[in-house]
Amino acid sequence: MRFGTGTSEGAEVVVDGRTLSYDEVVAVARHGAPVALADEVLPRLARDRAVVEDVVDRQVPTYGLTTGLGTRSSYALPRDELEVFSVRTVRGRAHAVGDPLPVPVVRAALLARANGIASGGSGVRPEILRLLVDLLNARVHPVIPEVGSIGASDLCQMAHVGLVVIGEGDAEFGGEVLDGATALRRAGLAPAALGPKDGHVLCGASPLAAGQGALALHETAAVLALAQAVTALTYEGFRANTSPLDARVLSLRPAPGQSRAAGGLLALLDGGELTDPRHARRVQDPVSLRCAAQVHGAAYAALDFAAAALDPELNGCGDNPVVVADTGEILSSGNFHTPALALAFDTLALALTQTASVSAERMRRLLDPAVSGLPANLSPYGPERSGFAPLTKTAQALVAEIRMLSVPVSTDPRHGAAAVEDDSTNASLGARRLTTVLTRLRQVLAVEAVVAAQAVDLAAPAVLGRGPEFLRRAIRAVVPRLDDDRPCGVDVETVRRDILECDDVRSTLRALTGEASALVGGAA
């Protein structure tokens, strides 16, 4: 997996088919970084294309090249129909529906497809790849409806990219939605003429699942770092016992990810009193506090699993069939099938649900004077005021939505072409669902952060850890402490927007944990 490469905004991203990182996907998708092809890519594609041309010339029966697709794979295509068959392949699969996908998702998908083609094996004409890169650099964004993939390649959605490539369909350019031909012309680009196999390649593989998944994993890592910081703030308000974070305790049962999570919490709490468990208010805290490292550690482990499953989709050939240039063959392939990726997205959604659930429970414990030792509902006036009590309903409503969205999609039965495409993965849906889960989780964490800042104010510890102190000051810069009852939903949204989604805040909290990046690292 390739996290934390340090790609700066605006720096050129070089596509080589082998080393695309999630940071680079974000740089291109969200910040418009320019894209260039590595020197070795076009010669690699030319070599593969020579095999395609040879197979066409010899009329070797080859799926999707000299034969039809799906249930029509036994139909031999006449030589003079191969080019028009490529165009028909694109037109005949552009069947997605719904609202257009956001521009960053479209850019991530274009980059993922470009890098997958650059890895070799697709057999596409090199000119097609150059045009995909030109679309990114000219900011011509095909309009791709949000629904249409069942994970047997993102066919019905990526065909909308193919339409723009041939000067049809719709594209966003300069803030306007235009027909594909007009968008290309205004950007100084020309439509491509498709040769044999080109249409199938434009529709093939799983670049939507890969591109949107990369964006989601990048954000997941950042949100987990925020969950750590908000938890540390709750620890300070609750005066939690940190002995469960002791490395000696964790070494007795080294569950995946828990040592990383515990180390991060202790690093955030460094400089305060709580790193010495003798300053804790209780001997035994509720599970939502006591086992935060186990829950967050499980989420880090799920993120590692997802990253390992996603990296081959970003940096590999997901086509069928594939070209083996060394032997001059074109072989049938199952590389388009993504069960590991779909399972990983499902697993990550479940892990984020656990993270949201314990956040909501920590917030509830702060409001209970019998457990926290603080005023009821954290109102300085006591029980005659509502304080933060109604926020528990908001938190639970958010968790309920996240729980609903965490239902596995990889086990849902799906069928494509009769008797041939009898299994698929829903990987693209799994990635798209994570976007909403992360939005709701940031809101849950904002609820806990608002309440935890009030708890710290009321508990008034002599000194806070560096992480909680920074986060409390940042919150108080935009939201005052609660005195008399007031609408608090706006406070939660302010903290979410101005604090938890602020790049500067995220960078500072990441540094306070001692991590160079918010993202897990590791060799590819």
Side-chain angles (χ1 to χ4, degrees):
M1 44 196 155
R2 300 179 179 87
F3 282 112
T5 61
T7 302
S8 60
E9 184 174 334
E12 185 177 73
V13 171
V14 178
V15 167
D16 62 6
R18 303 284 194 271
T19 62
L20 183 65
S21 74
Y22 303 157
D23 283 352
E24 288 172 327
V25 174
V26 172
V28 172
R30 298 202 180 280
H31 305 303
V35 178
L37 293 173
D39 292 341
E40 68 271 17
V41 168
L42 294 181
R44 181 186 299 152
L45 266 60
R47 188 180 181 208
D48 288 349
R49 187 65 186 182
V51 176
V52 172
E53 300 294 349
D54 177 64
V55 167
V56 168
D57 288 343
R58 292 188 291 116
Q59 281 290 283
V60 179
T62 305
Y63 178 74
L65 177 57
T66 60
T67 77
L69 296 166
T71 57
R72 297 168 299 284
S73 59
S74 60
Y75 173 69
L77 296 168
R79 175 65 182 86
D80 59 359
E81 287 189 14
L82 297 186
E83 286 79 8
V84 72
F85 180 72
S86 259
V87 175
R88 284 199 205 106
T89 297
V90 170
R91 290 174 179 161
R93 281 157 182 75
H95 299 326
V97 299
D99 293 334
L101 288 170
V103 164
V105 174
V106 173
R107 291 182 62 80
L110 284 173
L111 180 63
R113 191 63 190 118
N115 197 62
I117 290 172
S119 70
S122 73
V124 75
R125 292 169 60 238
E127 293 82 355
I128 301 298
L129 176 57
R130 279 201 294 258
L131 182 53
L132 292 179
V133 171
D134 288 342
L135 292 179
L136 283 167
N137 289 334
R139 303 191 66 85
V140 175
H141 305 127
V143 173
I144 306 175
E146 63 183 345
V147 179
S149 174
I150 59 172
S153 292
D154 297 324
L155 295 168
C156 291
Q157 289 176 285
M158 289 305 294
H160 290 266
V161 174
L163 288 177
V164 175
V165 166
I166 63 175
E168 300 178 10
D170 295 310
E172 182 273 332
F173 177 70
E176 290 184 79
V177 175
L178 308 165
D179 65 86
T182 300
L184 290 174
R185 185 174 65 255
R186 289 191 183 179
L189 303 175
L194 300 187
K197 202 176 189 295
D198 292 341
H200 194 198
V201 172
L202 284 167
C203 300
S206 302
L208 267 174
Q212 190 159 23
L215 296 178
L217 265 61
H218 190 276
E219 179 61 13
T220 294
V223 169
L224 288 179
L226 292 173
Q228 291 272 90
V230 172
T231 301
L233 187 63
T234 295
Y235 269 44
E236 293 283 11
F238 195 86
R239 311 309 294 156
N241 190 325
T242 57
S243 65
L245 305 178
D246 192 304
R248 295 167 298 176
V249 174
L250 300 177
S251 68
L252 296 174
R253 195 215 61 173
Q258 69 177 10
S259 292
R260 178 189 179 189
L265 286 168
L266 289 173
L268 289 162
L269 293 167
D270 187 45
E273 299 174 334
L274 288 185
T275 50
D276 183 346
R278 290 175 296 181
H279 289 290
R281 198 178 57 80
R282 298 164 58 96
V283 174
Q284 180 102 308
D285 291 332
V287 168
S288 58
L289 287 96
R290 187 175 6 130
C291 300
Q294 281 73 25
V295 174
H296 293 176
Y300 280 124
L303 183 58
D304 285 347
F305 174 43
L310 180 55
D311 189 76
E313 300 302 326
L314 285 178
N315 291 285
C317 175
D319 287 274
N320 174 44
V322 294
V323 175
V324 181
D326 289 344
T327 61
E329 296 176 277
I330 299 181
L331 303 178
S332 180
S333 162
N335 288 351
F336 63 91
H337 205 42
T338 53
L341 185 62
L343 178 62
F345 288 156
D346 279 349
T347 301
L348 190 56
L350 290 167
L352 294 175
T353 302
Q354 290 184 334
T355 303
S357 295
V358 294
S359 174
E361 289 307 309
R362 285 191 300 267
M363 174 262 195
R364 291 178 62 195
R365 299 294 84 76
L366 288 172
L367 302 184
D368 185 349
V371 180
S372 70
L374 297 170
N377 301 321
L378 299 186
S379 170
Y381 292 103
E384 68 270 18
R385 300 292 199 281
S386 296
F388 288 109
L391 266 184
T392 61
K393 296 180 173 61
T394 300
Q396 290 301 314
L398 290 166
V399 171
E401 184 173 348
I402 293 171
R403 188 178 297 115
M404 175 193 70
L405 289 166
S406 71
V407 173
V409 299
S410 60
T411 56
D412 179 58
R414 300 148 311 277
H415 306 288
V420 178
E421 296 170 0
D422 55 356
D423 187 53
S424 52
T425 68
N426 268 343
S428 183
L429 173 59
R432 180 158 55 91
R433 165 267 313 270
L434 287 173
T435 300
T436 307
V437 169
L438 289 164
T439 297
R440 296 293 178 247
L441 178 52
R442 288 193 298 270
Q443 291 172 314
V444 173
L445 293 172
V447 171
E448 183 185 359
V450 167
V451 172
Q454 180 84 355
V456 169
D457 289 343
L458 295 174
V463 58
L464 296 175
R466 285 190 285 270
E469 175 62 20
F470 170 78
L471 185 55
R472 186 193 69 84
R473 287 182 180 275
I475 291 170
R476 285 291 168 256
V478 296
V479 170
R481 64 180 285 173
L482 183 69
D483 186 21
D484 207 347
D485 288 350
R486 68 169 187 261
C488 290
V490 64
D491 294 343
V492 170
E493 286 295 272
T494 297
V495 168
R496 173 195 60 78
R497 181 187 64 246
D498 296 347
I499 307 300
L500 301 188
E501 295 179 2
C502 172
D503 288 341
D504 289 342
V505 170
R506 291 180 176 201
S507 296
T508 299
L509 291 174
R510 187 165 65 244
L512 289 170
T513 66
E515 295 187 6
S517 170
L519 303 156
V520 290

